[in-house]
Amino acid sequence: MISSILSAIHWNIKPEIFSIGSFELRYYTLCFLLAFITSYVLMLRIFKRENKPQELLDQLSIYIFVGTLLGARLGHCLFYEFDYYKDHPLEMILPYTYVNGKFTLTGFHGLASHGGALGILVGIFLFCRKTKTDFLWITDRLVIVIPLAGAFVRLGNFFNSEIIGLPSGLPWAVVFERVDAIPRHPAQLYEAIAYVLIFIVLWNIYRRKPLLKPGFIFGLFLILLFGARFGLEFFKENQEAFEDSMKFNMGQLLSLPFIAVGIFLLARPYKTAGRQK
């Protein structure tokens, strides 16, 4: 045990890049912003390739940004800490706590990727209804860049020393010193690498096979990303205590409906491939 601790990678980076008074800039925040900036740049390339106006992408970006934040936040509060937030509903959407007659700025500590995915889908639906854009046309292109954005977010989790892995004796095990002294799987990095690989697969499929049936890339994305999420959960510590008594944790259970929708989209018959609007 001692030799494995000595050979492990020790990680003790502070999550804050700097702080001024109650304001602080975290690596996680920076990674989150990089996720949106990178996604926007890549989506702009896609829109230009298909002769779509940048103004349309700008509108879409607003819906996605708001949908991601609200969905991820509400997803965490409802799926993982409902017992607390049912009695503190304002703290779901406002970045403060109210204790002993004082408001304290805390930021949003707790975002759930499955909630973010649902928020994105709701945002796309509202965007498509307003702009009369085809839902599957948007999703088939947006999901190409989402895995890369997800990789940035998981890198932010790594800087935060959160969503840690189970104990491990592997040479690349990491001791998250801000948590404990146990060498663990760097589960955040496993997930980030998986997401980058999924991005590469989807990007190449899009570039080489432009006439796939609507929903194909979207369906493949759901299977690959949430399938990876389901498998990689076996390397992670449970996020909440109530999951310890479950055969499959909350992240795995929430992944199953997405995988099922992906299988449906790939299997459904479609006579006229390549339709756009």
Side-chain angles (χ1 to χ4, degrees), residues 93-105:
I93 57 175
L94 298 177
Y96 68 82
T97 57
Y98 184 73
V99 181
N100 298 326
K102 287 183 60 179
F103 291 101
T104 303
L105 183 66

Side-chain angles (χ1 to χ4, degrees), residues 138-158:
I138 289 291
T139 52
D140 274 337
R141 284 139 186 88
L142 183 63
V143 298
I144 296 171
V145 304
I146 284 179
L148 193 57
F152 277 111
V153 173
R154 284 296 176 251
L155 186 60
N157 296 136
F158 185 74

Side-chain angles (χ1 to χ4, degrees), residues 8-212:
I9 301 167
H10 287 252
W11 184 256
N12 192 26
I13 299 294
K14 290 184 178 180
E16 304 87 7
I17 302 174
F18 68 85
S19 61
I20 302 175
S22 61
F23 173 80
E24 60 183 27
L25 178 63
R26 290 174 166 253
Y27 287 103
Y28 183 88
T29 304
L30 183 60
C31 288
F32 207 87
L33 291 174
L34 286 173
F36 274 97
I37 292 171
T38 304
S39 299
Y40 181 88
V41 171
L42 292 172
M43 282 297 293
L44 185 58
R45 290 184 61 181
I46 292 173
F47 269 52
K48 287 183 176 179
R49 176 179 178 176
E50 304 202 22
N51 297 315
K52 298 294 182 180
Q54 184 175 347
E55 292 75 13
L56 191 67
L57 176 59
D58 292 341
Q59 293 180 53
L60 174 63
S61 299
I62 295 173
Y63 280 84
I64 296 303
F65 185 81
V66 174
T68 301
L69 287 180
L70 287 179
R73 179 60 181 162
L74 292 175
H76 172 81
C77 297
L78 297 177
F79 298 149
Y80 291 96
E81 293 191 66
F82 179 73
D83 286 343
Y84 174 82
Y85 285 104
K86 66 181 174 61
D87 298 321
H88 306 82
L90 283 179
E91 291 183 30
M92 292 186 187
I93 57 175
L94 298 177
Y96 68 82
T97 57
Y98 184 73
V99 181
N100 298 326
K102 287 183 60 179
F103 291 101
T104 303
L105 183 66
T106 58
F108 292 123
H109 296 293
L111 300 172
S113 57
H114 292 89
L118 291 172
I120 289 173
L121 291 175
V122 172
I124 295 173
F125 172 78
L126 296 174
F127 167 81
C128 291
R129 189 173 66 173
K130 180 180 179 181
T131 61
K132 302 298 188 289
T133 306
D134 185 75
F135 180 84
L136 289 180
W137 186 90
I138 289 291
T139 52
D140 274 337
R141 284 139 186 88
L142 183 63
V143 298
I144 296 171
V145 304
I146 284 179
L148 193 57
F152 277 111
V153 173
R154 284 296 176 251
L155 186 60
N157 296 136
F158 185 74
F159 275 103
N160 275 354
S161 296
E162 61 189 2
I163 313 184
I164 58 175
L166 294 170
S168 170
L170 293 170
W172 56 82
V174 175
V175 176
F176 295 96
E177 294 183 5
R178 301 178 67 84
V179 179
D180 55 32
I182 302 173
R184 298 177 176 277
H185 287 286
Q188 315 95 323
L189 299 185
Y190 293 170
E191 205 164 339
I193 292 170
Y195 291 170
V196 170
L197 293 175
I198 293 170
F199 162 73
I200 292 172
V201 170
L202 297 180
W203 182 262
N204 280 280
I205 289 175
Y206 168 73
R207 292 185 62 189
R208 297 179 184 181
K209 297 181 179 293
L211 297 180
L212 292 166

